[in-house]
Amino acid sequence: MRDAAEPDSGLAARLARVRSDIADAARSAGRTPDDLTLIVVTKFHPASLVRDLALLGVHDVGENRHQEAQRKAAELADLQLTWHFIGQLQTNKARQVRRYADVVQSIDREALVDALAGPVPDAPAHIGGFVEVNLTDDPDRGGVAPERVEALVERILQTETVQLRGVMGVAPLGADPRPAFASLRAVSERVQSIAPWATAISAGMSGDFREAIAEGATHLRIGTAITGNRPSAI
Ligand SMILES: *Cc1c(COP(=O)(O)O)cnc(C)c1O
C-alpha cells in the first residue's frame, strides 16, 4: 500500500502538465494564468483521488451526479474544497445539493432556480450559480437556449440565495470548439449588461481548454487529462 500522504506520481505529473499548458495558453492569449480557476472534474473517481488532488494543491473539484458528490463531500469534509456541481440536476435534488455544493454550474431552467432558492435547514445561506448555455442546435443537450438566458438570469437575481457568477457551456462534439466558445463569450457580455459582477465564464475541458482560454474562459473544468480515464463505476 502506498503512503496515503504521497499522491500517485502519475496524477502529480498530469496535473503539473495541465497547469503548465494552461499557463502557456493564457500567455499566448495575452492573459495572466492567475485569472483562471482550474476545476478538476473527479466524477466516477473515488474520494481517495480527490484527497490526493487536494494534497497537490487543488482547491476546486467538479462532480456531475448528486449521490456520488454527496458521498464524497461527506467523506472529505475535513478538506477545504470548493465543490462545483456541473451535471444535470433534478429539481427534487436541488435542496440536498445546497448542503454540500458551493456552486451549481448547471442552472438551466427557472424551476431549478426556485428549488435552489428555498430555505434549507443546515445549508449555507448562499450558493454560487452559473447559467448553463446550450451551445448546440440540439435542445436535448444540457443548458438553456441562448435567447432564453436573460429570463433565467432575471429569475436568479430575484433570489437572495443563488449568487450569480456567470455562464457555463460545453462545446458541441465533433466540431471546432472555438466558435461555440465565442458565442458563449457573447452571451456572457449580455449577462454582464444585466449583472455586471457576473463575469465568470466556465468553458473548456480536457480536449478544448486552450480554445476556451483564447475566448475568455475564467473557469476550466478538466477531468481525464488530469485524472486519467474514468472508471465506469466506483
Ligand atoms: C465530465 C465533464 C467535464 C470534464 O471532461 P473531460 O473531458 O474529462 O475533461 C467537464 N464538464 C462537464 C459538464 C462534464 O460533465
Side-chain angles (χ1 to χ4, degrees):
M1 236 180 85
R2 75 194 158 79
D3 183 340
E6 203 169 298
D8 135 48
S9 62
L11 183 68
R14 289 189 299 271
L15 177 64
R17 177 63 191 267
V18 168
R19 281 178 169 149
S20 111
D21 288 351
I22 290 171
D24 287 347
R27 283 187 286 267
S28 335
R31 305 181 57 196
T32 151
D34 294 346
D35 293 344
L36 299 171
T37 300
L38 169 61
I39 300 160
V40 182
V41 177
T42 49
K43 63 190 185 196
F44 297 91
H45 287 283
S48 58
L49 179 129
V50 184
R51 190 173 288 282
D52 286 349
L53 287 165
L55 287 169
L56 293 166
V58 168
H59 303 291
D60 291 81
V61 293
E63 289 283 335
N64 73 339
R65 298 188 302 179
H66 161 61
Q67 276 168 347
E68 180 185 338
Q70 182 180 47
R71 181 161 34 82
K72 287 185 210 168
E75 197 172 327
L76 301 170
D78 59 309
L79 300 177
Q80 296 289 317
L81 288 168
T82 296
W83 292 87
H84 297 255
F85 194 88
I86 63 172
Q88 287 274 356
L89 181 52
Q90 289 170 32
T91 307
N92 63 1
K93 301 278 163 48
R95 293 159 63 80
Q96 296 181 58
V97 169
R98 278 271 307 284
R99 295 184 195 268
Y100 64 85
D102 300 285
V103 181
V104 173
Q105 294 212 357
S106 42
I107 298 179
D108 59 356
R109 61 201 191 280
E110 278 83 350
L112 180 56
V113 176
D114 297 346
L116 284 167
V120 180
D122 310 324
H126 302 114
I127 189 162
F130 286 66
V131 167
E132 181 178 355
V133 183
N134 187 346
L135 302 177
T136 76
D137 296 328
D138 177 357
D140 292 338
R141 295 291 301 270
V144 64
E147 64 273 15
R148 298 201 50 251
V149 164
E150 276 87 351
L152 188 54
V153 164
E154 295 290 358
R155 186 67 146 249
I156 293 173
L157 299 185
Q158 283 161 19
T159 78
E160 297 200 341
T161 309
V162 185
Q163 302 196 319
L164 184 66
R165 302 274 174 80
V167 295
M168 183 270 243
V170 177
L173 289 169
D176 179 2
R178 183 105 189 226
F181 293 142
S183 47
L184 185 61
R185 177 192 275 208
V187 171
S188 168
E189 283 162 13
R190 280 163 39 206
V191 168
Q192 290 180 59
S193 71
I194 310 172
W197 64 91
T199 54
I201 301 178
S202 173
M205 318 196 329
S206 292
D208 57 21
F209 65 85
R210 294 169 190 80
E211 291 85 350
I213 290 169
E215 291 295 344
T218 62
H219 290 64
L220 311 167
R221 307 177 312 272
I222 302 183
T224 49
I226 294 170
T227 62
N229 288 333
R230 284 184 273 276
S232 45
I234 59 171

